[in-house]
Amino acid sequence: MPDTADAPREDGLDDDDSADAAGSGTRPPLNLRQIEVFRAIMLTGSISGAGRMLHVSQPAISRVLALTESRLRFPLFERSRSRLAPTAEARRLFAEVEQVYGGIQRVNELAANLAQAGAGALRVISSASFGQRMVPQALAVLRQGRGQARVDYRSSTYDELAGHFLSGQADIAVSMRPPVHPNLVSVELGRSEVVCVMPSDHPLARCQAVAPADFAAGAWIGYPADAPLGRVLTAYLGYAPNRTPAAIEVHSPVTALAFVQQGLGPALVDSWCVGPRTRAGLAVRPIVPPAHIGIWATYSELQPLPLMARRFLAALKKVLQDEPGPSFEDED
């Protein structure tokens, strides 16, 4: 007959737990098993459901619950015919327990990602414009031979970039302007030409190049003055107190491009925003004087850049090196 002196009990209790159940002058803290059983009962609403969820017997669940309530010295559930109704104290306790389990889930996800890819999911943030072609092309290069690499991508406005890093939601960001924060490092990878886009039947489509006076002659699409392209647009147009303001103001060149496609007027966008597939029905013209926006990679200075982020940065540099300049051929 095997020696069971040191074998764990089915309900996860030990001799000290049993002594606590008998009563003592102190109130020991709940252990993880008791918290797990409490959570299972809250989620399933019954002793039997908790037993099935945790793969243990109903008597084992009942014993752990009884000990938990004995330690707490207040009831967690009101007993009814077939279900347990949580008390107000139980509902407050459950809210805290769920926060703990959220942290445990994140730990498990990270552990799984580390086992799979060596550095977890690559978290990439970018300006919406760069998310149209530049970032997908860089990710395609990255995943060549590394099909298991997991990526969490999201687009972001300029004023949200720093917050993503501070909340731990980003490994690397690609933007038109570097965020200003003492704990972030930004490197300019290149520059993107600013072009004027308009419907192919717009009067400006007859111009070989678009000057400020041409652009602002009719209804046009603009940006907030503090946005990256808003600064470019302000410098391009110069100061003119009597100039008509933008008919529509947007916060992203991707949105501007969509509005241009609906015939709402011309707009200045970066050339990465205008891919071959988006040129149908549009005319793309250079502007004079010419203007550019930066392509900046940003990461945290407080910790080393993860391996996958370094590989993504290398892929991004390759994409920028291979990208041809903008085409201004009339596609009518």
Side-chain angles (χ1 to χ4, degrees), residues 14-234:
D14 54 28
D15 292 337
D16 292 337
D17 291 327
S18 299
D20 292 334
S24 65
T26 61
R27 185 182 302 181
L30 300 181
N31 59 38
L32 291 177
R33 181 59 166 173
Q34 292 166 331
I35 294 174
E36 182 181 37
V37 168
F38 165 69
R39 179 176 182 267
I41 297 173
M42 288 291 291
L43 291 176
T44 63
S46 67
I47 296 291
S48 59
R52 288 191 296 270
M53 181 177 177
L54 300 178
H55 306 289
V56 297
S57 67
Q58 293 185 41
I61 296 293
S62 296
R63 285 196 297 270
V64 175
L65 176 59
L67 176 56
T68 303
E69 293 181 321
S70 175
R71 284 190 172 186
L72 294 173
R73 300 178 188 172
F74 57 78
L76 291 171
F77 299 94
E78 299 290 342
R79 276 69 176 173
S80 62
R81 293 181 181 178
S82 59
R83 299 183 67 83
L84 299 178
T87 63
E89 292 80 7
R91 288 193 292 270
R92 288 192 61 185
L93 189 62
F94 181 69
E96 296 297 325
V97 167
E98 282 300 276
Q99 291 189 29
V100 172
Y101 268 79
I104 293 173
Q105 183 178 1
R106 289 191 294 273
V107 170
N108 286 330
E109 289 175 353
L110 175 59
N113 290 336
L114 289 172
Q116 179 180 2
L122 171 64
R123 298 166 300 182
V124 180
I125 307 291
S126 87
S127 303
S129 178
F130 295 158
Q132 298 298 296
R133 293 192 302 126
M134 183 192 301
V135 171
Q137 288 179 21
L139 291 176
V141 172
L142 173 69
R143 289 178 63 87
Q144 291 174 1
R146 298 188 180 93
Q148 297 299 316
R150 291 183 58 245
V151 178
D152 179 349
Y153 169 79
R154 67 188 69 188
S155 62
S156 172
T157 59
Y158 169 76
D159 54 2
E160 295 173 336
L161 285 178
H164 287 302
F165 283 99
L166 298 177
S167 60
Q169 297 177 328
D171 294 318
I172 190 167
V174 189
S175 61
M176 297 180 179
R177 215 168 90 209
V180 180
H181 193 280
N183 295 333
L184 298 178
V185 176
S186 297
V187 179
E188 188 173 21
L189 304 179
R191 307 188 81 194
S192 179
E193 185 170 353
V194 175
V195 297
C196 184
V197 291
M198 68 214 75
S200 57
D201 58 354
H202 193 277
L204 287 182
R206 296 192 292 268
C207 301
Q208 294 297 313
V210 177
D214 301 323
F215 181 80
W220 50 282
I221 299 168
Y223 303 92
D226 59 345
L229 275 169
R231 294 189 174 195
V232 171
L233 183 58
T234 299

Side-chain angles (χ1 to χ4, degrees), residues 241-259:
N242 297 324
R243 177 178 292 117
T244 303
I248 301 175
E249 187 172 276
V250 299
H251 292 252
S252 164
V254 173
T255 306
L257 184 62
F259 284 18

